[in-house]
Amino acid sequence: MNRGDGLIQRRNVNRENSGVTRESQDSEDKKTDREDDPEDGDSKETRLTLMEEVLLLGLKDKEGYTSFWNDSISSGLRGCILIELGLRGRIELEKAGMRRKGLLSRKVLVKSETPTGDVLLDEALKHMRDTDPPETVQSWIEYLSGETWNPLKLRYQLKNVRERLAKNLVEKGVLTTEKQNFLLFDMTTHPLTDNVAKSRLVKKVQDAVLGKWVNDAQRMDKRLLSLLLLAHASDVLENAFAPLNDDDYELAMKRVRELVDLDLEAECIKATASPHDIVWAVYAASIK
């Protein structure tokens, strides 16, 4: 998938430090989870993971399923899993080193084995923890998607990811579950029930490239940057722009083009916060 796809035409090493106790490590992991959750504390807003947000953008509100023609969302959701683990401080990319290894050749390292409490994230984390030597971001997206020619790696596949994420959203009161008949087969669908949650998500995406645009990827919130990049890689980003008037739509698309056309290697070198590099690496692998 090329970086500009979907943007032209509008459609309606060490796992434990010897000086740090297990308790302090767990405490630090929980702190990281809180810091990277923008809706922590007593917020009444529904907390969604990056994977759930991308899926929600891709789901048709009334029909309750994603487009049959979207062949990008599967790998996109696996990429979201990697970024979510990075944002929560569970994994990181190995250092670029003196020879400046490229994003796609750097290995994924497990930084902390502490469970996140999310079944999909913990399943992926376990696979990474049990793999030696470590693998690259691109390899992990292929393994978790089941798109690998290596039969020994098929055990890493995360199955029924869309259905499992949809069930999470049902439990959070955002979606409901129905059965629809498609002539030759019945399919479980998940129509939208919480319009407020979807509207809030769409507005957040719109504001990121309109009213709150900072014109500098390094200054953007890591989670919001990840949402924009992975929603684009999953071919669902334009769904958030469809309600905009023509002028705002053109401006939003122009700014997204500026973002996705950045030199990813250069942005990674400029990044001062460690999760940024895994964000760029996942996006680079998702569009390759």
Side-chain angles (χ1 to χ4, degrees):
M1 179 176 179
N2 296 323
R3 294 185 195 176
D5 285 357
L7 294 177
I8 305 296
Q9 181 179 359
R10 180 173 187 179
R11 300 194 304 265
N12 288 358
V13 250
N14 283 336
R15 297 188 176 124
E16 292 188 15
N17 187 297
S18 57
V20 180
T21 65
R22 179 70 179 182
E23 290 77 8
S24 63
Q25 179 65 56
D26 291 348
S27 176
E28 184 64 28
D29 291 335
K30 291 176 182 177
K31 179 182 177 183
T32 300
D33 287 344
R34 290 195 300 271
E35 288 175 347
D36 282 315
D37 190 339
E39 299 169 11
D40 195 21
D42 297 327
S43 171
K44 295 181 180 180
E45 297 181 2
T46 304
R47 300 184 203 174
L48 304 180
T49 64
L50 185 60
M51 305 88 74
E52 291 166 351
E53 288 181 323
V54 168
L55 179 65
L56 189 55
L57 286 176
L59 283 175
K60 301 174 186 291
D61 292 355
K62 295 180 180 179
E63 293 86 347
Y65 52 83
T66 58
S67 170
F68 294 128
W69 309 110
N70 188 337
D71 58 359
S72 302
I73 194 169
S74 178
S75 60
L77 290 173
R78 272 69 174 187
C80 288
I81 290 173
L82 295 180
I83 290 180
E84 189 77 44
L85 287 171
L87 293 175
R88 296 190 185 204
R90 299 313 194 269
I91 62 174
E92 61 184 354
L93 279 190
E94 67 173 338
K95 304 303 179 186
M98 294 295 292
R99 296 187 179 183
R100 284 290 174 191
K101 284 185 178 180
L103 278 173
L104 297 182
S105 62
R106 292 162 64 183
K107 308 294 186 180
V108 177
L109 306 177
V110 174
K111 186 178 178 182
S112 168
E113 298 179 10
T114 304
T116 65
D118 182 284
V119 176
L120 275 172
L121 293 178
D122 291 340
E123 189 176 335
L125 182 61
K126 181 180 183 301
H127 290 326
M128 295 175 193
R129 182 196 67 195
D130 295 341
T131 299
D132 188 31
E135 299 279 3
T136 63
V137 163
Q138 188 167 4
S139 293
W140 275 118
I141 290 178
E142 292 172 358
Y143 297 161
L144 297 177
S145 302
E147 298 176 355
T148 174
W149 294 101
N150 187 341
L152 298 178
K153 304 296 184 180
L154 288 175
R155 61 192 176 93
Y156 293 142
Q157 181 181 5
L158 297 180
K159 298 181 179 179
N160 304 316
V161 168
R162 265 178 273 191
E163 180 65 20
R164 292 162 73 179
L165 289 173
K167 287 182 178 179
N168 288 348
L169 290 169
V170 170
E171 292 177 1
K172 293 179 179 181
V174 179
L175 306 177
T176 188
T177 301
E178 294 181 357
K179 287 281 188 181
Q180 286 196 28
N181 181 270
F182 288 86
L183 297 179
L184 298 178
F185 62 93
D186 290 334
M187 186 174 82
T188 301
T189 61
H190 300 283
L192 182 71
T193 56
D194 188 347
N195 291 299
V196 174
K198 179 69 174 281
S199 297
R200 186 186 302 122
L201 172 61
V202 169
K203 186 176 187 303
K204 179 170 70 171
V205 173
Q206 293 174 352
D207 286 347
V209 293
L210 293 174
K212 298 180 180 179
W213 177 246
V214 296
N215 199 31
D216 183 357
Q218 298 298 323
R219 293 169 51 211
M220 291 185 70
D221 173 79
K222 297 187 296 294
R223 186 171 288 275
L224 191 53
L225 173 65
S226 303
L227 176 58
L228 290 174
L229 292 175
L230 269 295
H232 168 252
S234 302
D235 199 21
V236 301
L237 184 57
E238 281 193 66
N239 295 345
F241 298 153
L244 295 172
N245 62 52
D246 289 345
D247 290 342
D248 283 345
Y249 177 87
E250 291 301 324
L251 179 58
M253 298 304 289
K254 175 178 177 292
R255 288 173 171 172
V256 170
R257 277 193 291 269
E258 293 174 3
L259 190 62
V260 302
D261 285 340
L262 289 170
D263 184 327
L264 306 186
E265 297 284 355
E267 291 300 316
C268 187
I269 292 173
K270 289 190 294 183
T272 55
S274 60
H276 262 104
D277 52 9
I278 204 162
V279 172
W280 294 116
V282 168
Y283 180 64
S286 298
I287 62 175
K288 188 173 178 59

